[in-house]
Amino acid sequence: MKSFTKITGIAAPMDRANVDTDMIIPKQFLKSIKRTGFGKNLFDELRYLDEGQPDQDCSGRPLNPEFPLNFPRYRNAKVLLARENFGCGSSREHAPWALDDYGFRCIIAPSFAEIFYNNCFKNGLLPIVLDADIVDRLFKEMYAQEGYELTIDLEAQTVKTPSGETFEFEIDEFRKHCLLNGLDDIGLTLEHEDAIKAYEAQRRQEAPWLFDGLR
Amino acid sequence: MSARTLYDKLWDAHLVQKRDDGSALIYIDRHIIHEVTSPQAFEGLRLAGRKPWRADSILATPDHNVPTTLKERASGVSGIQDPVSLIQVKTLDDNCDEYGITEYKINDQRQGIVHVIGPESGASLPGMTIVCGDSHTATNGALGALAHGIGTSEVEHVMATQCLVAKKMKNMLIRVDGQLRPDVTSKDVVLAIIAKIGTAGGTGYAVEFGGDVFRNMSMEGRMTVCNMAIEAGARAGMVAVDQTTIDYVEGRPYAPKGENWEKAVQAWRDLKSDDGAHFDRVVEMRGEDIKPQVSWGTSPEMVVSIDDNVPDPEAEQDAVKRESMKRALQYMGLSAGQPMRSIQLDRVFIGSCTNSRIEDIRAAAAVVRGHRKADSVKEAIVVPGSGSVKAQAEREGLDKIFIEAGIEWREPGCSMCLAMNADKLGAGEHCASTSNRNFEGRQGYGGRTHLVSPAMAAAAAIAGHFVDVREITGGQAA
């Protein structure tokens, strides 16, 4: 997995609450059996004026001029500012894959839906929770200043604004460790193979029916 | 030991290893997979040279992409006309064949929606931890199991290690006591709960549904309720085991047999919250207060009773919410103050992992019997949740009731709930749908979804607009 240490990048807005994963990446693109290539269809129904199709060349599609990610000032944004309950709905990991493929490295919101929040960490994407009033201030500052950049330092657990103001955020130690070092958590879990086998042996005694194979 | 909740017990029984930061390794008993969220996980396994830890703990079926017309289903996988869907379904078949995973293939009578076939086959049992790369996995929690959705990386993790890295959630009890009105169903109950606590109300919690209403509910009804826990933000919803649970499980193909059955039942009887167990949050409602529900907006919390009008955003104090409401009204093509009954329907969908079990099909058929679909409704379809549900309904003659009423009877799959196959709404079309999400574009580009119960959807198909079920059935409950 890609590691995340410190980034500085343009912030872009997704200024609505309850942005669901259907909105992040519509279902027709879920038919892909790959992990890559979803960026061009990120927020497809908001970003384009027509209905997108899988495997389509998007370069000639009509863009929605009112959608912020289409504004030149947000080009190459790395940080997405969002509102409450971002990523709700379906468990599709295609949502973080699309955000990552588009170029985002970090999403800041007052709250996230849990499955989406989890999925981000598996893909080197950092979801940051800040108080709603702080997020609201960041939105206002971003709208007021073209080229508004945020610096995210995972080691220090801080978000720094262009004026130098710094906000701290919380993150689980284990997730931080994995993200800083780009660790594959399957490999980490398999280091505990003996513990898993010991659990199985004991459980097999207590509840043998749980080990009846599906045949 | 101090008093524990049902969730505490399930968690404790599956704890493999605890870490200092509060995260843990949790053992997974059952893994259910489908064609959309598994291909990248298998690819990951292959690239790392790994194999499934317990291939025989996995049950697979294609459901999201499969066509539902007999014409397209007649020739099996190769009959799928959408070439991209075809590849995805074939990839699942190939992966399951390669790793020796049990799969109910497309025209196997046991094929169906993942969350319908788990409980139906007995692959999902009380006391298990059950995961699937699909957010509606909480459906299985109705059995008194810890069940929740996971992402594709976690699908790979569970395949490779039989474990999940997890952090214990908080406990929430949603208690609904009293009696339901005869025309009110489990779907109305869960929609009313979501309207009350909001789409993020359950975030961070494992939710137990308790009280008279759930005790008196069938297993199918409990599954409908647990299914939509995620729509209230909770990954896992569950109901304590009682005699209803045990009667449901007994005799299912993968249920324990003989001596193991006796032993299992004894263990399952303890799958309930102890008296005095601590819940971090308790929400209480009365069954009598719940009326048939209809969603008006683009989030499952945007729900009112059939007797209500479309709400006015100007009455909302919170600015972010007000904006969401305005945008929803614009997307839905509705005006504030408009009666819900005045909404004309273009299509009706009865199906999905929320409402495609035999009880749902019976409830819809009971309303439809002796009536005809309104001419103004372009299409109404009933999509059973599995081949077994379909066969049972046909044995009861329910298919004929729909067909005689001008309503289509389809082959099992997820269908129009998320419109990954050919079943979808056109732009601007209003649909009475028994599914779980009314998000923008969910059922088709520009489509307008109204979430309702099977009985309400059936009544809407007949009237052409939303009505109280009792107006069709002449005061009788469906």
Side-chain angles (χ1 to χ4, degrees):
Chain A
M1 189 184 71
K2 195 160 54 180
S3 66
F4 188 112
T5 47
K6 189 173 176 179
I7 62 148
T8 297
I10 296 277
M14 188 61 207
D15 200 351
R16 48 166 98 182
N18 298 315
V19 169
D20 56 73
T21 53
D22 276 79
M23 198 179 280
I24 299 172
I25 183 85
K27 68 256 168 198
Q28 63 269 38
F29 308 110
L30 271 48
K31 295 181 189 185
S32 166
I33 56 170
K34 296 191 238 121
R35 270 175 197 259
T36 51
F38 296 102
K40 64 186 192 321
N41 300 113
L42 175 71
F43 299 122
D44 200 86
E45 292 183 6
L46 299 171
R47 198 163 141 199
Y48 302 99
L49 292 171
D50 62 347
E51 183 180 1
Q53 301 303 331
D55 296 330
Q56 182 184 15
D57 174 7
C58 293
S59 57
R61 291 177 62 195
L63 293 171
N64 177 0
E66 289 170 16
F67 186 60
L69 290 189
N70 290 331
F71 301 174
R73 61 180 287 188
Y74 298 121
R75 200 168 288 153
N76 301 322
K78 285 189 185 149
V79 181
L80 187 67
L81 278 188
R83 299 287 186 181
E84 283 84 1
N85 202 25
F86 187 84
C88 62
S90 150
S91 65
R92 59 188 70 165
E93 200 159 316
H94 312 67
W97 292 339
L99 287 158
D100 172 63
D101 196 47
Y102 182 89
F104 285 112
R105 298 299 320 275
C106 173
I107 305 146
I108 300 176
S111 60
F112 291 91
E114 279 173 82
I115 303 179
F116 173 82
Y117 183 79
N118 246 332
N119 286 342
C120 285
F121 288 101
K122 315 287 183 193
N123 295 283
L125 206 57
L126 175 63
I128 294 178
V129 178
L130 290 177
D131 284 349
D133 51 342
I134 296 175
V135 174
D136 202 49
R137 265 177 57 196
L138 297 180
F139 264 103
K140 285 182 179 137
E141 290 180 12
M142 174 186 59
Y143 287 138
Q145 182 187 336
E146 199 166 327
Y148 185 83
E149 288 191 326
L150 291 171
T151 298
I152 321 293
D153 185 339
L154 178 57
E155 182 59 58
Q157 297 180 217
T158 55
V159 175
K160 199 167 91 186
T161 70
S163 68
E165 199 175 1
T166 302
F167 302 100
E168 288 187 6
F169 62 88
E170 303 260 317
I171 181 171
D172 289 347
E173 271 309 308
F174 181 69
R175 283 181 166 141
K176 179 178 172 179
H177 173 70
C178 290
L179 208 49
L180 280 173
N181 299 293
L183 296 177
D184 158 24
D185 61 353
I186 294 179
L188 290 177
T189 298
L190 286 173
E191 287 174 13
H192 304 288
E193 198 176 328
D194 291 346
I196 303 169
K197 286 185 172 155
Y199 171 88
E200 280 182 328
Q202 193 202 332
R203 190 74 172 150
R204 206 182 276 274
Q205 296 294 316
E206 297 163 4
W209 61 88
L210 292 174
F211 295 86
D212 291 345
L214 300 175
R215 288 286 179 258
Chain B
M1 195 180 277
S2 59
R4 295 183 298 165
T5 64
L6 169 58
Y7 170 63
D8 294 337
K9 292 180 183 183
L10 292 167
W11 173 269
D12 291 347
H14 291 88
L15 196 59
V16 173
Q17 199 171 58
K18 227 171 158 169
R19 295 196 177 112
D20 294 339
D21 69 342
S23 69
L25 267 189
I26 290 294
Y27 192 80
I28 301 302
D29 297 312
R30 180 69 65 234
H31 191 184
I32 305 178
I33 61 173
H34 61 81
E35 80 278 22
V36 178
T37 56
S38 69
Q40 297 88 349
F42 279 109
E43 185 197 47
L45 273 191
R46 216 169 273 128
L47 288 175
R50 292 173 177 139
K51 284 198 158 60
W53 182 281
R54 263 181 65 200
D56 68 357
S57 71
I58 308 172
L59 179 63
T61 201
D63 59 357
H64 284 59
N65 269 287
V66 298
T68 61
T69 58
L70 199 53
K71 191 170 162 239
E72 241 186 291
R73 283 289 271 269
S75 43
V77 185
S78 56
I80 300 176
Q81 283 168 15
D82 179 335
V84 200
S85 294
L86 173 68
I87 291 172
Q88 208 167 41
V89 175
K90 268 190 166 161
T91 303
L92 180 69
D93 289 356
D94 293 347
N95 283 326
C96 290
D97 290 346
E98 180 181 340
Y99 290 105
I101 291 166
T102 298
E103 183 195 4
Y104 296 163
K105 293 197 161 75
I106 188 164
N107 281 352
D108 187 317
Q109 203 199 299
R110 300 167 299 175
Q111 177 270 342
I113 304 173
V114 278
H115 313 306
V116 174
I117 68 164
E120 185 178 84
S121 65
S124 303
L125 294 172
M128 277 183 165
T129 41
I130 304 165
V131 294
C132 173
D134 191 291
S135 61
H136 291 110
T137 308
T139 312
N140 297 279
L143 291 157
L146 175 57
H148 61 76
I150 55 177
T152 297
S153 294
E154 290 178 316
V155 169
E156 185 184 336
H157 191 280
V158 174
M159 287 203 285
T161 70
Q162 209 64 32
C163 290
L164 206 54
V165 178
K167 202 166 181 178
K168 197 172 175 197
M169 297 180 262
K170 290 180 283 183
N171 280 287
M172 184 191 292
L173 174 65
I174 297 181
R175 193 180 175 88
V176 187
D177 279 317
Q179 291 284 321
L180 293 181
R181 294 179 3 174
D183 57 331
V184 169
T185 68
S186 53
K187 181 65 165 288
D188 302 303
V189 173
V190 71
L191 286 173
I193 290 169
I194 298 162
K196 185 180 167 82
I197 72 171
T199 50
T203 304
Y205 291 95
V207 173
E208 180 176 343
F209 297 98
D212 306 338
V213 163
F214 303 112
R215 286 274 70 82
N216 295 330
M217 207 175 258
S218 67
M219 284 308 294
E220 286 85 352
R222 294 176 188 181
M223 286 181 214
T224 299
V225 172
C226 290
N227 173 276
M228 290 191 74
I230 187 68
E231 263 55 70
R235 290 177 79 179
M238 61 196 76
V239 176
V241 170
D242 59 10
Q243 195 57 42
T244 305
T245 322
I246 289 165
D247 291 343
Y248 175 89
V249 174
E250 188 167 17
R252 300 211 169 250
Y254 292 127
K257 307 274 182 309
E259 195 188 327
N260 268 350
W261 170 254
E262 299 304 327
K263 210 171 159 184
V265 169
Q266 201 188 346
W268 295 344
R269 297 259 184 219
D270 186 47
L271 294 173
K272 56 181 195 288
S273 293
D274 297 329
D275 290 339
H278 173 73
F279 286 93
D280 302 282
R281 187 178 171 197
V282 178
V283 175
E284 289 182 321
M285 291 169 67
R286 293 294 306 177
E288 295 81 3
D289 297 340
I290 302 171
K291 292 178 186 167
Q293 306 282 302
V294 186
S295 75
W296 58 268
T298 53
S299 162
E301 68 185 19
M302 294 174 169
V303 169
V304 291
S305 300
I306 176 66
D307 300 332
D308 290 338
N309 298 332
V310 175
D312 185 356
E314 296 309 329
E316 174 59 54
Q317 302 294 315
D318 181 276
V320 174
K321 271 196 181 162
R322 191 163 56 238
E323 278 313 303
S324 301
M325 289 175 74
K326 283 184 185 167
R327 197 179 292 114
L329 286 185
Q330 193 186 12
Y331 180 85
M332 294 297 289
L334 298 174
S335 320
Q338 176 181 353
M340 290 307 290
R341 289 162 190 269
S342 69
I343 299 171
Q344 300 288 319
L345 281 326
D346 301 289
R347 290 179 199 270
V348 173
F349 170 60
I350 298 173
S352 87
C353 57
T354 313
N355 281 128
S356 64
R357 296 175 189 81
I358 189 66
E359 178 182 285
D360 302 314
I361 310 290
R362 285 179 190 143
V367 174
V368 168
R369 192 188 298 270
H371 295 280
R372 272 202 67 77
K373 173 182 78 67
D375 289 339
S376 57
V377 174
K378 291 179 210 165
E379 182 187 66
I381 63 174
V382 180
V383 185
S386 70
S388 312
V389 169
K390 180 168 185 268
Q392 176 64 30
E394 288 173 355
R395 277 195 293 277
E396 296 176 22
L398 306 180
D399 55 325
K400 293 193 182 62
I401 295 174
F402 294 117
I403 294 164
E404 278 163 21
I407 295 172
E408 291 178 44
W409 178 246
R410 297 287 187 90
E411 299 300 304
C414 297
S415 180
M416 206 191 272
C417 173
L418 86 168
M420 272 190 81
N421 68 356
D423 309 335
K424 55 184 80 168
L425 302 182
E429 288 180 344
H430 286 269
C431 178
S433 176
T434 67
S435 57
N436 38 58
R437 290 187 176 134
N438 48 351
F439 298 155
E440 289 183 21
R442 169 88 178 176
Q443 292 196 288
Y445 186 76
R448 294 162 170 169
T449 303
H450 299 276
L451 304 174
V452 287
S453 72
M456 286 286 286
I462 291 155
H465 57 89
F466 287 115
V467 285
D468 192 319
V469 184
R470 289 173 300 183
E471 290 169 37
I472 302 290
T473 56
Q476 295 301 302

